[in-house]
């Protein structure tokens, strides 16, 4: 348990659920892309951890790109 955990009132989605869903998405992407190399595009300041987990779960090589946006 981390010191930061004391600020958390409730866990809505567990880390196990996130890991399982990332694995499901990776399987779908692998099936959809056949022999092509997917390009993962994420928005900076939020997508980096998710995208790296997804890229590791893929069975094929992929390229990662990031965009910076402002409102």
């Amino acid at each position: 348990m981390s010191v930061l955990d004391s600020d958390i009132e409730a866990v809505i989605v567990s880390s196990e659920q996130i890991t399982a869903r990332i694995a499901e998405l990776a399987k779908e992407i692998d099936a959809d892309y056949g022999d092509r190399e997917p390009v993962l595009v994420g928005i900076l300041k939020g997508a980096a951890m998710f995208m790296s987990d997804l890229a590791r779960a893929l069975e094929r090589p992929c390229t990662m790109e990031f965009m910076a946006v402002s409102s």
Side-chain angles (χ1 to χ4, degrees):
M1 184 166 226
S2 167
V3 170
L4 301 175
D5 291 343
S6 64
D7 291 340
I8 298 172
E9 291 181 21
V11 175
I12 298 170
V13 181
S14 71
S15 61
E16 293 82 11
Q17 290 172 305
I18 294 170
T19 300
R21 184 61 182 134
I22 288 172
E24 290 171 9
L25 287 171
K27 285 183 182 180
E28 289 178 31
I29 292 169
D30 282 330
D32 289 346
Y33 274 78
D35 60 347
R36 297 175 294 160
E37 183 176 312
V39 177
L40 305 179
V41 180
I43 306 301
L44 284 175
K45 305 231 178 192
M49 296 300 187
F50 169 78
M51 279 184 47
S52 60
D53 288 345
L54 179 60
R56 281 193 296 269
L58 291 170
E59 295 201 8
R60 68 189 62 264
C62 67
T63 302
M64 293 173 61
E65 297 290 337
F66 291 93
M67 295 176 16
V69 297
S70 62
S71 55

